[in-house]
Amino acid sequence: MEPGADRTARRVELLDAADRVIKARGPEASMTAIAAEAGITKPILYRHFGDKSGLYRALAERYTQPVVDAVRTTLAEPGERRERAAATVDAYLAFIEANPQIYRFLMHRAYVEDAAAHSVVSEFVRRIGAAIAQTLRDEFALTPQQEQAAEAWGHALVGMMQVASDWWLATRPMPREAFVEHMVGLLWDGLGNLESAGRAHASASP
């Protein structure tokens, strides 16, 4: 194996060790525990990623990219708009339900503690917000003013989902399917008014 490929494979092994520890301990996972799981010392663990910040960034990138891909895929699928909205919300929730400790580690530990992880998670939120904004532009008959506001709407929807999902994960007051339906109902009441508002604006314009 080439030296570069060997280093890459070793990084994957170390991230896999981090996965195991974080899934067991969530935000309480320590770098010492991750190093011990990998069978190395903490300085050696950091050396593979440059430093602690590099490890946090690698973990954040590993966990956020699959969510971005899932959201983009569901937004692009054919079908009724409401069904795709439900599938998009469900894709996000499915990840955090399957990986609750990883979600808590990212949002309640790495995001707060490390600037590099904060940057990756913030970029993840921006990318999802931008994808939703583009979908609104592509599929709704928006006025020029609404076109300008689409980016703000996309990020507002992501922010709402992030806070609501954090509450749902902590309290589990209802099954995921029911929570998805409630959230989509709330979202859809607003989204469903976009075109009617656009037509009203157009008819009122001189």
Side-chain angles (χ1 to χ4, degrees):
M1 183 179 290
E2 294 294 326
D6 186 58
R7 284 195 297 272
T8 299
R10 184 58 175 149
R11 279 171 60 98
V12 171
E13 291 174 358
L14 296 176
L15 289 174
D16 288 343
D19 275 346
R20 294 190 292 272
V21 174
I22 293 169
K23 285 177 179 177
R25 305 187 185 187
E28 303 307 314
S30 68
M31 300 301 106
T32 300
I34 292 172
E37 177 69 21
I40 57 177
T41 63
K42 191 162 63 172
I44 293 175
L45 173 66
Y46 291 161
R47 192 179 307 153
H48 282 276
F49 297 92
D51 54 17
K52 178 180 177 180
S53 182
L55 174 59
Y56 271 138
R57 183 178 184 88
L59 288 168
E61 289 172 346
R62 166 179 266 210
Y63 299 142
T64 58
Q65 188 58 48
V67 184
V68 173
D69 292 342
V71 167
R72 285 178 170 167
T73 296
T74 54
L75 286 173
E77 286 177 351
E80 294 295 324
R81 290 171 178 169
R82 195 182 192 285
E83 292 175 357
R84 281 186 290 135
T88 301
V89 172
D90 191 60
Y92 181 81
L93 288 173
F95 173 80
I96 68 172
E97 185 176 45
N99 304 280
Q101 294 287 56
I102 288 173
Y103 176 82
R104 293 183 181 108
F105 178 85
L106 276 182
M107 296 301 182
H108 301 163
R109 167 82 179 276
Y111 182 82
V112 174
E113 187 174 296
D114 184 77
H118 182 105
S119 177
V120 172
V121 175
S122 295
E123 178 62 19
F124 153 73
V125 173
R126 284 193 293 271
R127 289 164 68 189
I128 293 181
I132 293 173
Q134 191 57 53
T135 299
L136 295 176
R137 294 189 191 99
D138 291 343
E139 300 209 9
F140 289 90
L142 303 181
T143 67
Q145 290 80 5
Q146 289 174 326
E147 287 269 358
Q148 293 175 350
E151 201 78 17
W153 292 338
H155 287 84
L157 293 174
V158 173
M160 183 184 76
M161 274 304 308
Q162 186 176 342
V163 173
S165 298
D166 200 56
W167 165 81
W168 174 77
L169 185 65
T171 62
R172 295 298 183 97
M174 65 191 77
R176 190 178 92 217
E177 295 78 6
F179 183 59
V180 168
E181 187 57 33
H182 284 304
M183 293 306 299
V184 172
L186 177 62
L187 294 172
W188 206 249
D189 283 343
L191 294 176
N193 291 326
L194 287 180
E195 289 181 325
S196 60
R199 288 192 293 269
H201 182 277
S203 63
S205 299

